Amino acid sequence: MRSLKPGDLHAAGEPLNLAAHGSFWTGIERKATPGGTIVAGQAYVEYFIPSALTRPWPILMLHGGGGQGLDYLGTPDGREGWAKYFVRQGYAVYVMDRPGHGRAPFHPDALGEMTPPGTFELLSALFTNPGARPEAYPQARLHNQWPGPGTVEDPLLEAFIAGTGPAQKDMAASHLAAQKAGAEALDKIGPAILMTHSAAGPCGWMIADARPHLVKALVAVEPFGPPFTGMSADPTTLPYGLTAAPLTFDPPLAQGEALSSVERPAPGADLKACRVQAEPARALPNLQGYPIVVVTAQASWMAADNHGTVDVLRQAGADVEHVRLEDQGVLGNGHALMLERNSDACAAVIERWIAGKLETP
């Protein structure tokens, strides 16, 4: 495990040359409370514009779960994160703290009831030391890229947990708030590449649904799923298949009409059966017209079910690919791949996909 010494952070590598660095807010609403009018639904967006801006489209990054934008800014062991990786590749990068996370403050008066904070025990099992309980999913035995031991005593796990927090308990409200904030961000930024991780996956589908003309490509890194059930066995957790809040379907759903689903058998060993739309499937017209990729790590719990999201997107007419990191020679990653030892190798797979889709080789 790498440990930082005095001065390390001041001599971390080549200078990051920026033409601009700043921030702005989106998604702001005014909400009346007994004590007066407050702000609700705001998202914080920090941007990094390289001096050598060589890529034509910026990237808007949305973090997952109880995390925040800093998940893209650096790793628990002190290395540069994906935001700076892509800046160094010539992209303008915009990093969002979704409503209620990080620098976009959470208060129940503004956003409603919150979930409990993540525990050392839970987050270790899900993110940093899943091999300690391989019965959870077979791929856990392959996890070896967390930069520390990953146990509850690990100081790097502690650093990761320090940046996590609660989330809105009302998932549909959370998806709608992120949609508003993300759509307004694209209105400011212009056409861009959307990049999401984990629980931001549904937010990305929602934002793209609201601003399809401003999406050049959508990179969904281990998007929350599987469709309809999420991480539960309840097929109504994500009533719109990919999201808890409404998407634009063709033919449209009638008021109060549920999206019908059926279970599709697991397509192979160590994979799970997932739900898809009952045929004839409804199209998602606003998730069409640009390339989409679902990126899955070898040793994540989502390695067993991310194919379900790909299946539902294809049913709905999206141009989607499924990139499994092990097929690209990148091995051993868990769900928090942007924080792990080989985070740059993971980012390089994504950057090659983007360049192949949006730029002339």
Side-chain angles (χ1 to χ4, degrees):
M1 179 180 74
R2 178 182 178 226
S3 58
L4 292 173
K5 301 184 294 296
D8 278 359
L9 296 180
H10 303 290
E14 292 298 316
L16 190 69
N17 294 315
L18 299 177
H21 174 220
S23 63
F24 56 85
W25 297 93
T26 65
I28 293 175
E29 293 185 348
R30 297 187 179 201
K31 183 175 180 179
T33 73
T37 305
I38 63 171
V39 164
Q42 71 269 33
Y44 175 88
V45 182
E46 185 172 7
Y47 59 85
F48 304 82
I49 314 298
S51 298
L53 182 61
T54 59
R55 306 296 185 172
W57 310 113
I59 303 176
L60 174 61
M61 298 180 172
L62 282 78
H63 63 85
Q68 52 182 290
L70 64 81
D71 293 345
Y72 291 114
L73 298 183
T75 66
D77 60 340
R79 292 173 292 111
E80 289 186 348
W82 281 7
K84 294 176 183 177
Y85 177 91
F86 281 93
V87 167
R88 292 188 185 279
Q89 307 308 309
Y91 294 86
V93 173
Y94 295 76
V95 180
M96 176 179 285
D97 286 0
R98 294 190 285 113
H101 298 272
R103 286 166 288 190
F106 192 107
H107 194 282
D109 286 354
L111 295 175
E113 190 177 356
M114 65 182 73
T115 64
T119 65
F120 277 78
E121 293 78 10
L122 175 64
L123 296 181
S124 173
L126 291 178
F127 289 91
T128 66
N129 194 29
R133 48 191 289 273
E135 72 283 355
Y137 58 97
Q139 294 86 346
R141 70 187 186 279
L142 303 172
H143 186 239
N144 59 16
Q145 292 291 356
W146 182 255
T151 61
V152 295
E153 297 82 18
D154 181 5
L156 299 185
L157 172 61
E158 184 177 77
F160 170 50
I161 292 177
T164 67
Q168 281 179 270
K169 200 164 188 178
D170 184 335
M171 192 181 297
S174 173
H175 292 175
L176 287 168
Q179 181 185 51
K180 182 177 187 297
E184 290 182 10
L186 288 182
D187 290 341
K188 288 178 176 287
I189 297 166
I193 300 157
L194 274 179
M195 181 184 293
T196 67
H197 176 235
S198 191
C203 305
W205 315 132
M206 296 284 295
I207 294 165
D209 191 52
R211 296 292 188 276
H213 60 291
L214 294 179
V215 177
K216 300 303 296 183
L218 203 163
V219 178
V221 180
E222 302 233 322
F224 179 72
F228 295 96
T229 62
M231 295 175 70
S232 74
D234 182 356
T236 65
T237 301
L238 297 172
Y240 300 93
L242 300 173
T243 63
L247 291 167
T248 303
F249 287 97
D250 182 24
L253 289 169
Q255 183 70 29
E257 183 182 4
L259 187 65
S260 298
S261 69
V262 295
E263 186 173 270
R264 179 174 288 180
D270 295 341
L271 302 177
K272 294 181 179 179
C274 295
R275 301 193 76 81
V276 296
Q277 284 194 65
E279 295 289 352
R282 299 170 191 267
L284 287 167
N286 292 341
L287 297 186
Q288 299 176 17
Y290 46 84
I292 299 172
V293 65
V294 172
V295 179
T296 303
Q298 182 188 36
S300 167
W301 77 84
M302 289 194 177
D305 61 40
N306 261 178
H307 63 272
T309 297
V310 177
D311 288 347
V312 166
L313 286 166
R314 285 178 178 158
Q315 263 193 317
D319 173 14
V320 58
E321 296 180 41
H322 192 185
V323 171
R324 290 187 177 272
L325 291 183
E326 64 268 27
D327 294 338
Q328 307 298 313
V330 179
L331 306 178
N333 288 100
H335 186 53
L337 55 161
M338 68 282 298
L339 304 178
E340 298 196 308
R341 284 191 187 98
N342 61 344
S343 56
D344 281 1
C346 299
V349 171
I350 295 171
E351 202 282 323
R352 287 195 298 270
W353 182 88
I354 292 172
K357 293 295 180 182
L358 297 185
E359 301 180 41
T360 302

